[in-house]
Amino acid sequence: MRGFVLFAAMGLALVGVGVFQSWNVALAILNLSLISAIMALGVNIQWGYAGLFNVGIMGFAALGGVAAVLVSTAPVGAAWAAGGAGIGLAGVLLAVTVGAIVFARRWLHGLARKLATIALVVGGYAAVRMAYDPAVGAIEAVDPARTGNLGGLGLPIVLAWAVGGVFAAGVAWVIGKISLGLRSDYFAIATLGISEILIAIMKNEDWLTRGVKNVTGLPRPVPYEVDLQTADWFRDLAASLGQNPVVFSGIFVKLCYALLFGLVLLALYWLAERALRSPWGRMMRAIRDNRDAAEAMGKNVTARHLQVFVLGSAVVGIAGAMLVTLDGQFTPGTYNPLRYTFLIWVMVIVGGSGNNAGSILGAFLIWFVWIEAETAGRALMSGLVDWLPQGSALGAHLLEAAPHLRLFLMGLILLVVLRFSPRGLIPERTRG
Amino acid sequence: MTDLINAFVLLSNFVLIPGLAYGAQLALGALGVTLIYAVLRFSNFAHGDTMAFGAMCVILVTWGMQGLGISAGVLPTALLALPFGILGAVALALLFDRTVYRFYRQQRAAPVVFVIASVGVMFMTNGIVRLIIGPDDQRFADGERFIIRAREFKEMTGLAEGLALRTTQGITIVVALVVMVALFWFLNRTRTGKAMRAYSDNEDLALLSGINPDKVVFWTWVIAAALATIAGTLYGLDKSFKPFTYFQLLLPIFASAIVGGIGNPIGAIAGGFVIAFSEVTVTYAYKKFLFYLGWESEGLMQLLSTDYKFAVSFVILVLVLLVRPTGIFKGRVI
């Protein structure tokens, strides 16, 4: 009941923005809220179900973005011809090296094991670099202003959403293997570090995703405004609704996105709820609430943690691919942990950790506040500036600084909720 | 022989001196993190932003002093402003302790709750810093720029390679040394310092012996905030001040604290230098160095591009956690 009222209020707030500001803004907020809600769902699966404090959300979201680029852009034939073989060789050499290290560590002991590991790391690194460097140089030399990378598969971008989930899951498996044994705050620091490394790789490996040169103009799963404006059926539709076709085409495209994102969110929500109510979900909560007792009952805690970490990260990866789809571009330079990791965390804590509906509500609410706080902050500051003498330097500075008010506000909201309502807006139901 | 000296000078100029300065900055930051961990038992995610806040206070006072015509001669004015900056950061840290952390201490909340609270504090501090000084780069270094200039060094020694020592690097190393000595004197010789160590070792026993926990917590925040301000100011003098960079420093700082053994001050210092030197040595291009040693190489001979310096601190962190989870010097707990 409480959840229903809160969601209704949230819907009203969005309608309010539509009526008083513009429907374009309202729908833009709605779309990003839907994507944020999926990310929050992923975080909730890790934190709410299993108590994993993962602050590497940004990295998994960006992996989804990489998937979008690799699936949807057209392949660059010349680059493949120039360096495809070299990259392939480097990949094979890397795999061989890793395999050899694993093999050596399994079958050798004592000093021989250490020496073999060191020799393999050094030798493997040199061999990989020898294949990799010329190939990268060749690929990046192919039409660097427009491509300079290998390109993608040229498939519909919607497929990338699933691929993004798979990418994130794969990387999460490796990360989880290494770092899930760590205590909670070490795990947090490890995931924070990994997300920074993932972004660094995306910024630097130009042959893969063009790095900081960005990939723009990704294909869309929905029609383009320009095409709509010239299509007869659309002009008729706009006319019958009494709308200006140019303005309405923007709204229509956003509605299409909202529909797609909403479907994905509903599907994932349904799956997440099913999982939470299943014996598996009960076991996860048992592990979260009393790890030692669960272990004594014969539950394999590390394996369960790895499982839930991979699942949650996959959900974040899906959302990351959707985000890049909505933007139509992949810009590794814009990923920032405050926005892509910690803001999502604020959403989950505020909404109610352990409750999927709560996380979704939190995502809507926090994203709404994040966007509207900028407008409100500017209004507040210009109100303040009116009291100051005309053209004062302080006034100009305050106006310029207004957008940063929202960071302060986010921290405040998080702290207030954590203190006075630590279970969030829609608390977890304790009876499973 | 001259080639060997040239190679050594080259390495000193590009690896040794920058590594020492950066290591000192990381060590000071890691000391703050480690102290908070030892006494309050959580990883403080807001530490990077505390550094930014302290450095910002220093910059504002520096500008004020420059406006009034006060200067420290050849030294940067920021050194005179440092005590005021420390006061500002201490006030902020104590304010957040009273309003945020104290409640969870009384509740005896799980460490992860403290960490989440510190994320909230991080957001707020970050917002405050950006509100006051803005998100852009600020330069506030003044005074003499170099102690030794590369050209003078070349003329003096007749070598092909120059050695430059910037004032900010010299100051960083000297100030860090002084601060570290003072900190160890405080922890080992004063009553409050001993109380802090006792409290960190065994909280219940310390309470039974009549140690006042409020006082211990108070001094921990004071020292951590002071260290953060000093580290932040030195970093800002040496490189430049940008709020976002301080947030990014969090990772190498945590890595330093953990690699050295979290909760252990000597470990934090060692860890800082380990991380700094690994970052610098792994991302340095050895082409010219090898040339002096008589080896002509095709490429730059750089192990990793400079953009991967985060990766370096992280890989070391993971290696240490896997091989020796308590860190180089035995940290508190794992």
Side-chain angles (χ1 to χ4, degrees):
Chain A
M1 189 57 212
R2 176 177 182 170
F4 181 76
V5 171
L6 287 169
F7 269 105
M10 193 65 237
L12 271 181
L14 279 172
V15 171
V17 171
V19 172
F20 294 110
Q21 253 180 308
S22 91
W23 285 103
N24 254 320
V25 174
L27 284 171
I29 295 178
L30 174 68
N31 278 335
L32 276 165
S33 294
L34 287 166
I35 294 175
S36 305
I38 297 177
M39 287 193 192
L41 208 56
V43 174
N44 187 43
I45 288 173
Q46 293 175 347
W47 165 247
Y49 292 17
L52 294 179
F53 191 64
N54 169 12
V55 281
I57 308 303
M58 169 181 77
F60 297 109
L63 276 172
V66 172
V69 173
L70 293 186
V71 167
S72 71
T73 53
V76 184
W80 274 103
I87 289 288
L89 180 65
V92 171
L93 284 172
L94 184 67
V96 168
T97 310
V98 172
I101 291 172
V102 171
F103 185 80
R105 292 195 66 83
R106 185 160 298 168
W107 294 104
L108 295 174
H109 294 285
L111 188 64
R113 183 160 95 166
K114 277 183 191 138
L115 289 177
T117 311
I118 293 170
L120 282 169
V121 167
V122 173
Y125 179 79
V128 169
R129 280 292 290 263
M130 273 197 290
Y132 177 81
D133 285 357
V136 167
I139 292 170
E140 287 171 8
V142 176
D143 197 3
R146 280 184 48 242
T147 56
N149 67 342
L150 285 175
L153 298 172
L155 296 171
I157 199 162
V158 176
L159 283 177
W161 300 358
V163 177
V166 173
F167 277 15
V171 172
W173 187 82
V174 177
I175 297 171
K177 269 281 177 199
I178 301 174
S179 46
L180 270 173
L182 305 175
R183 215 189 40 207
S184 65
D185 37 358
Y186 284 10
F187 178 70
I189 294 160
T191 46
L192 183 70
I194 289 164
S195 68
E196 292 284 359
I197 292 172
L198 286 172
I199 299 296
I201 293 174
M202 287 168 207
K203 278 185 186 163
N204 283 290
E205 300 306 318
D206 288 13
W207 61 273
L208 191 65
T209 55
R210 299 197 73 215
V212 284
K213 289 185 286 180
N214 302 338
V215 180
T216 51
L218 291 173
R220 275 185 180 181
V222 298
Y224 285 85
E225 284 89 345
V226 196
D227 298 337
L228 283 176
Q229 284 159 23
T230 52
D232 287 334
W233 66 270
F234 184 78
R235 299 186 74 92
D236 293 342
L237 181 70
S240 68
L241 291 170
Q243 297 277 350
N244 175 355
V246 177
V247 178
F248 186 56
S249 67
I251 292 177
F252 184 80
V253 168
K254 288 200 174 73
L255 276 173
C256 290
Y257 272 124
L259 189 69
L260 279 176
F261 295 161
L263 284 175
V264 176
L265 176 62
L266 279 179
L268 288 172
Y269 173 70
W270 184 73
L271 287 172
E273 279 292 298
R274 287 284 302 233
L276 187 63
R277 283 147 202 268
S278 68
W280 181 84
R282 277 201 296 278
M283 173 179 63
M284 291 317 304
R285 278 175 314 211
I287 291 175
R288 178 196 66 189
D289 292 338
N290 193 337
R291 191 192 157 118
D292 295 336
E295 208 156 19
M297 296 295 286
K299 306 298 178 199
N300 187 344
V301 172
T302 317
R304 291 311 122 207
H305 273 170
L306 184 62
Q307 203 176 27
V308 84
F309 183 61
V310 168
L311 283 175
S313 302
V315 172
V316 175
I318 294 171
M322 291 163 64
L323 184 71
V324 169
T325 308
L326 179 66
D327 289 343
Q329 55 180 357
F330 179 62
T331 50
T334 55
Y335 285 93
N336 156 354
L338 282 178
R339 154 75 182 85
Y340 287 94
T341 297
F342 293 109
L343 194 66
I344 310 293
W345 266 96
V346 177
M347 293 169 179
V348 175
I349 302 281
V350 169
S353 25
N355 187 317
N356 291 319
S359 304
I360 293 173
L361 178 74
F364 273 79
L365 178 68
I366 293 299
W367 187 257
F368 186 85
V369 173
W370 180 252
I371 295 296
E372 290 298 322
E374 206 177 346
T375 324
R378 200 162 285 135
L380 178 77
M381 284 299 186
S382 49
L384 272 178
V385 170
D386 285 346
W387 292 87
L388 294 167
Q390 195 83 51
S392 81
L394 183 64
H397 176 79
L398 281 179
L399 277 180
E400 205 178 304
H404 304 300
L405 258 182
R406 62 184 186 177
L407 286 171
F408 183 81
L409 190 64
M410 281 303 135
L412 193 62
I413 292 176
L414 176 65
L415 288 175
V416 166
V417 169
L418 194 64
R419 168 91 177 246
F420 297 105
S421 171
R423 282 149 58 77
L425 289 175
I426 312 182
E428 183 185 2
R429 273 160 299 185
T430 36
R431 198 167 51 85
Chain B
M1 189 59 206
T2 14
D3 274 354
L4 213 59
I5 297 175
N6 268 325
F8 177 72
V9 171
L10 183 75
L11 216 56
S12 307
N13 194 21
F14 289 104
V15 175
L16 191 65
I17 292 175
L20 271 178
Y22 183 44
Q25 290 148 9
L26 283 187
L28 289 176
L31 274 173
V33 166
T34 238
L35 275 181
I36 296 205
Y37 188 87
V39 175
L40 301 163
R41 296 189 170 78
F42 72 98
S43 310
N44 183 12
F45 272 65
H47 200 74
D49 286 299
T50 312
M51 282 167 65
F53 183 83
M56 178 193 75
C57 295
V58 171
I59 292 175
L60 294 179
V61 176
T62 306
W63 286 344
M65 287 181 165
Q66 284 167 346
L68 293 173
I70 302 170
S71 90
V74 292
L75 296 175
T77 317
L79 282 185
L80 292 178
L82 200 52
F84 300 98
I86 290 175
L87 280 182
V90 166
L92 185 84
L94 289 176
L95 181 74
F96 276 125
D97 184 64
R98 281 295 125 82
T99 52
V100 180
Y101 298 117
R102 190 165 68 171
F103 172 77
Y104 299 106
R105 240 185 350 263
Q106 284 161 355
Q107 300 263 304
R108 294 196 162 257
V112 76
V113 175
F114 280 92
V115 174
I116 295 175
S118 81
V119 168
V121 171
M122 174 187 88
F123 262 110
M124 290 183 80
T125 316
N126 201 306
I128 295 172
V129 171
R130 288 179 195 218
L131 262 179
I132 296 180
I133 206 163
D136 304 320
D137 256 328
Q138 312 285 350
R139 292 204 58 90
F140 59 105
D142 53 4
E144 192 63 47
R145 280 201 62 206
F146 285 96
I147 298 176
I148 308 171
R149 278 169 208 278
R151 198 163 45 82
E152 288 167 5
F153 182 85
K154 281 189 209 169
E155 282 164 5
M156 212 158 64
T157 56
L159 290 170
E161 286 303 323
L163 183 75
L165 179 62
R166 276 184 286 136
T167 317
T168 52
Q169 291 169 328
I171 288 174
T172 296
I173 296 167
V174 171
V175 170
L177 261 177
V178 170
V179 169
M180 286 170 196
V181 169
L183 180 69
F184 281 101
W185 175 81
F186 173 80
L187 286 178
N188 291 320
R189 291 274 182 271
T190 63
R191 217 179 147 74
T192 320
K194 285 179 187 166
M196 272 172 68
R197 285 194 304 139
Y199 186 85
S200 138
D201 250 5
N202 188 332
E203 193 179 330
D204 296 329
L205 203 58
L207 293 179
L208 276 178
S209 339
I211 286 171
N212 180 359
D214 291 336
K215 204 175 152 195
V216 169
V217 170
F218 173 85
W219 280 105
T220 307
W221 281 114
V222 169
I223 295 170
L227 287 168
T229 309
I230 296 169
T233 308
L234 291 176
Y235 187 85
L237 276 175
D238 194 16
K239 312 242 160 61
S240 78
F241 174 88
K242 191 177 181 191
F244 187 61
T245 341
Y246 285 85
F247 172 75
Q248 287 187 313
L249 270 181
L250 199 58
L251 185 65
I253 285 178
F254 272 137
S256 309
I258 294 176
V259 165
I262 197 156
N264 182 330
I266 297 180
I269 296 170
F273 286 106
V274 167
I275 295 289
F277 275 105
S278 330
E279 277 190 15
V280 180
T281 47
V282 173
T283 55
Y284 176 66
Y286 287 93
K287 184 181 167 75
K288 215 171 172 191
F289 176 71
L290 292 172
F291 170 75
Y292 280 121
L293 295 186
W295 187 29
E296 297 261 6
S297 53
E298 285 272 318
L300 284 170
M301 298 311 287
Q302 190 179 17
L303 285 170
L304 279 176
S305 110
T306 25
D307 304 273
Y308 286 127
K309 55 181 207 282
F310 287 122
V312 178
S313 40
F314 177 75
V315 168
I316 297 173
L317 176 65
V318 168
L319 279 181
V320 167
L321 286 179
L322 290 178
V323 179
R324 196 182 158 88
T326 47
I328 304 172
F329 296 88
K330 274 239 167 5
R332 276 191 55 82
V333 270
I334 173 92

